[in-house]
Amino acid sequence: MTITMKKSYDDRQELPQVGASDEEMSHIQNFAIARPDWAVVLLSQRLRGDGETGRADKYPRAHPYITGMQYVMRDLRSMERDYVRLLDIGSPLVQNAALACFPGVSLTVLDVRGHDDAETMGLNWVQGTATDLPFPDRTWSTVTSLWVMGHVGDGRYGDELDINGDRKMLCEMHRVLAQGGVAYLGVGLVAEQAGMIFNLHRIYSWPWLRAEFDSAGFDILEEVNLDVHEEVFIHGDVDVRRIDGKYALAKLRKR
């Protein structure tokens, strides 16, 4: 892969022409202009979100896919409630299958991808995009979304390219939450240097996230850093290794 640091509009011609369409190259260039303090990493080939199975054997210790799910379910189970209208945006299916069985929880899952087995899994499934949620204002008491925001707008899972897809997702979550509603948001990898690996995912920093949460109208109830001791993503000739990173999960309340 090629790593480029983008600092100004004039630098955009330095981006190499590798394995990406003109539309994707324009997206990457505009992203670098819009977020000049972020690092831009361009993979040597275009990744797609299908066919990713059997990855668990690549994780030598508990991965945030599991520990994040455990955090959300334990916290929801401890809540004093009679009835919860819960919207999940694209989280791992195993979490949603479990949440659908919680007493007093009415769960709807939204994903940009369809799922033919949703009914047999006991899931109310809606196909749609996180940047334009097909629900009225203040519909949901709780929203969950684990490991989705860092992908929104990068096209890997079939959504449209959108530089500010993650910001739009935050605003849409805020819009559909009831006043005082709670969101459990797993954004993905965090580091001191924010960046984008196109089209794998974004890497956030906590200062950037705090500012965006506040701008969208959320108060932070809890910040959680989940260990990922080694994550390996292999797709064709691409081998991306991230050692001893952190996955960020925030518990937010709508102001």
Side-chain angles (χ1 to χ4, degrees):
M1 65 184 176
T2 301
I3 301 177
T4 60
M5 288 289 295
K6 304 310 297 173
K7 290 298 181 183
S8 70
Y9 180 87
D10 293 334
D11 288 338
R12 66 179 182 170
Q13 298 302 323
E14 298 175 10
L15 283 167
Q17 299 291 327
V18 296
S21 68
D22 291 342
E23 181 184 11
E24 290 167 340
M25 289 304 301
S26 177
H27 172 75
I28 297 165
Q29 291 165 353
N30 290 332
F31 189 100
I33 296 166
R35 302 187 189 183
D37 296 330
W38 284 43
V40 176
V41 179
L42 182 60
L43 294 178
S44 63
Q45 70 178 65
R46 178 76 159 79
L47 302 182
R48 299 198 179 276
D50 51 5
E52 290 179 35
T53 58
R55 295 177 64 194
D57 62 333
K58 299 183 178 70
Y59 306 133
R61 306 186 191 181
H63 187 270
Y65 274 31
I66 303 300
T67 54
M69 178 181 68
Q70 290 171 334
Y71 172 88
V72 170
M73 291 195 294
R74 288 169 181 165
D75 203 68
L76 284 172
R77 187 172 59 185
S78 68
M79 291 172 54
E80 293 184 6
R81 66 186 191 280
D82 296 321
Y83 181 74
V84 174
R85 285 180 50 79
L86 193 155
L87 170 67
D88 180 82
I89 305 173
S91 296
L93 282 176
V94 64
Q95 170 182 296
N96 290 320
L99 288 178
C101 297
F102 271 35
V105 171
S106 175
L107 171 68
T108 295
V109 179
L110 178 134
D111 201 300
V112 72
R113 301 160 293 181
H115 198 284
D116 295 338
D117 297 329
E119 185 174 350
T120 60
M121 296 176 69
L123 298 176
N124 180 23
W125 193 274
V126 175
Q127 189 168 359
T129 174
T131 60
D132 187 16
L133 297 174
F135 308 111
D137 297 354
R138 298 179 293 279
T139 306
W140 306 94
S141 57
T142 306
V143 174
T144 60
S145 184
L146 296 188
W147 327 128
V148 175
M149 192 175 97
H151 298 295
V152 175
D154 278 352
R156 176 179 161 194
Y157 290 99
D159 59 336
E160 295 183 0
L161 296 178
D162 190 333
I163 296 167
N164 290 312
D166 47 1
R167 286 174 165 145
K168 291 178 181 178
M169 176 180 175
L170 280 176
C171 291
E172 280 292 276
M173 289 174 58
H174 185 273
R175 179 183 66 79
V176 301
L177 268 173
Q179 197 68 33
V182 173
Y184 297 86
L185 181 61
V187 302
L189 201 70
V190 289
E192 292 185 7
Q193 171 65 63
M196 177 182 71
I197 306 175
F198 185 83
N199 62 341
L200 184 58
H201 61 61
R202 299 180 183 90
I203 300 172
Y204 293 101
S205 69
W206 269 113
W208 191 92
L209 289 170
R210 293 179 189 122
E212 293 299 323
F213 294 158
D214 181 67
S215 177
F218 287 107
D219 292 325
I220 302 175
L221 300 181
E222 188 172 4
E223 296 178 0
V224 182
N225 287 305
L226 303 170
D227 290 327
V228 51
H229 297 280
E230 179 177 10
E231 180 171 359
V232 182
F233 184 96
I234 300 174
H235 184 99
D237 65 348
V238 177
D239 185 341
V240 178
R241 297 176 183 271
R242 300 189 292 271
I243 309 299
D244 291 335
K246 300 287 185 182
Y247 269 45
L249 192 158
K251 182 180 177 181
L252 308 171
R253 175 179 289 142
K254 176 177 176 174
R255 286 200 293 270

